[in-house]
Amino acid sequence: MLNQSIARSLMTLVPGRFAAEVTLLPDGPVPVTTNVSQAWFKSLDVTLSNYGNLNLQGDETLIKVPDHELNPAGNGREIRPRDRIVIAGTAYRVLSARLMSVRTVWECVVRKELS
């Protein structure tokens, strides 16, 4: 059975990690920005026309963000639609996000922001 400890250990095997800046737009007036060091891209099946409840246009990608980096103090931060993730100077707008793998990693469907 997969538990949080095993899931976190398996994350270390994922190649191609990136530092990312995650800007959350909480219900309050002030955005919260958090830096994570171990985010990664995951391929999105190009034959899909929808992902969850989201209709895909073809220019979306998946970014995975470890929950223990988003919430180092267990403070309950959540990634939601409209939040922003910046990797290597490229900004992505979150379209959909959900907590996966026994609550260890956020899987975010994102679209690159136009400059």
Side-chain angles (χ1 to χ4, degrees):
M1 175 184 244
L2 185 65
N3 62 32
Q4 284 187 336
S5 177
I6 293 170
R8 279 182 66 176
S9 295
L10 291 172
M11 275 191 266
T12 62
L13 301 174
V14 177
R17 301 293 193 100
F18 301 93
E21 180 182 274
V22 181
T23 302
L24 307 173
L25 302 172
D27 298 331
V30 179
V32 175
T33 300
T34 303
N35 291 310
V36 298
S37 62
Q38 298 293 310
W40 70 93
F41 290 100
K42 181 179 177 192
S43 299
L44 189 60
D45 185 350
V46 296
T47 63
L48 294 175
S49 62
N50 60 43
Y51 190 81
N53 293 329
L54 184 66
N55 290 326
L56 300 177
Q57 296 179 4
D59 58 350
E60 298 86 0
T61 192
L62 291 176
I63 296 177
K64 302 269 196 155
V65 177
D67 186 60
H68 69 274
E69 289 193 8
L70 185 69
N71 292 295
N75 46 9
R77 294 179 183 147
E78 297 179 355
I79 299 176
R80 300 178 183 172
R82 293 187 27 234
D83 290 346
R84 187 174 195 231
I85 300 173
V86 178
I87 297 176
T90 303
Y92 299 89
R93 187 64 59 182
V94 176
L95 304 174
S96 171
R98 58 186 175 173
L99 192 53
M100 306 286 292
S101 302
V102 287
R103 304 185 59 79
T104 59
V105 65
W106 288 92
E107 182 175 81
C108 306
V109 178
V110 299
R111 184 174 294 131
K112 190 183 296 186
E113 289 184 347
L114 300 175
S115 322

